Amino acid sequence: MTETASETTDIKAQYTAQVAADLERNAKEQDRLRGEIDALQDQLEALRQDHTVLLDMRKALGAATTSTPAPSAEDVVAPSVPRQKTGAKPKADKKAPAKKAGSPRGGKTAKASAKASATDSATNSATAAKAAKPTLVELIRRHLNEQNEPRSAAEVATALSQSHPDRRIQTNVVRTTLEGLVAKSHAQRAKQGSSVFYTTPDAQESTARSGDDAEPEQAGE
């Protein structure tokens, strides 16, 4: 009976440890997926903004096309009818088509100018819309460039949330974005104990150079 009870206790302990490990892995997987979902939501929001800008461009181009007046009946050159030669009338008939022939070209020029103006206006508005709201990647890279020391994902997220209270910035999304920058060699990561810190490549090279410069002075002493 004692051996059976001991075996039962060991089995329960094993199951308890296994369940705890599974729960921990499940929580980590949820955090990872939640971060990816938030990153995808940011990308979707950017695509929606681009879609709105493109719709405005299409409307502007359509308005420019429809606002160009159609040529009137007077601008259309009618086929000439053979007439008998009578004094000065043939000269007047020859000059009239030459004056009216210029109106279709003028209409095309005005139409092209209207399209170009609408395109420039739509392009400027699209550029202004993108410049008004930088992406999360730009904000993170800008923040790292302004720091003299490595920063953790939580520190970066806290700083960005304080400087941009209108944006919903989460630590998981920031960590995912930082790892993406590391994969592209736009940032570097360093592990200190159980914590991970991030910095820009330029900052790390500057720190290494300052350390190299300090060594000869110590040796001279």
Side-chain angles (χ1 to χ4, degrees):
M1 293 295 291
T2 303
E3 294 179 357
T4 304
S6 177
E7 291 177 357
T8 303
T9 303
D10 293 340
I11 293 174
K12 287 183 178 180
Q14 292 176 2
Y15 276 113
T16 301
Q18 182 65 34
V19 169
D22 291 340
L23 284 174
E24 184 178 0
R25 284 195 297 270
N26 186 282
K28 290 182 179 179
E29 186 68 14
Q30 289 185 29
D31 291 339
R32 185 183 67 81
L33 293 176
R34 191 177 296 109
E36 293 180 358
I37 290 173
D38 291 337
L40 290 174
Q41 286 179 348
D42 290 342
Q43 295 179 9
L44 179 59
E45 183 64 24
L47 289 174
R48 286 176 177 172
Q49 293 179 359
D50 293 342
H51 184 263
T52 302
V53 172
L54 291 174
L55 287 178
D56 293 339
M57 291 177 63
R58 186 174 67 177
K59 289 180 181 179
L61 292 174
T65 303
T66 55
S67 62
T68 304
S72 60
E74 295 179 356
D75 295 333
V76 178
V77 180
S80 59
V81 179
R83 296 183 180 180
Q84 295 179 353
K85 295 181 180 181
T86 56
K89 288 185 178 180
K91 294 182 179 179
D93 293 338
K94 292 181 179 179
K95 292 181 180 179
K99 292 181 180 179
K100 294 179 180 179
S103 59
R105 295 181 182 176
K108 291 182 179 179
T109 303
K111 185 177 180 180
S113 300
K115 284 186 177 181
S117 178
T119 303
D120 293 339
S121 177
T123 302
N124 292 334
S125 62
T127 303
K130 290 183 178 180
K133 187 176 181 181
T135 62
L136 181 61
V137 176
E138 294 174 351
L139 292 177
I140 292 176
R141 293 187 64 180
R142 188 184 306 169
H143 179 73
L144 290 179
N145 289 331
E146 295 173 353
Q147 305 305 312
N148 296 326
E149 297 179 355
R151 290 291 184 268
S152 65
E155 292 174 339
V156 175
T158 301
L160 294 180
S161 298
Q162 293 176 354
S163 58
H164 300 276
D166 57 325
R167 301 187 63 165
R168 186 170 61 91
I169 299 176
Q170 297 183 358
T171 304
N172 293 333
V173 180
V174 173
R175 184 180 293 105
T176 303
T177 305
L178 285 169
E179 291 297 333
L181 292 175
V182 172
K184 296 179 181 179
S185 299
H186 294 163
Q188 292 185 353
R189 67 197 301 269
K191 193 170 183 181
Q192 298 179 6
S194 59
S195 302
V196 178
F197 296 89
Y198 301 88
T199 184
T200 58
D202 296 337
Q204 195 167 27
E205 291 177 2
S206 177
T207 304
R209 285 198 300 268
S210 63
D212 294 341
D213 296 338
E215 289 179 0
E217 295 178 359
Q218 295 176 357
E221 293 176 358

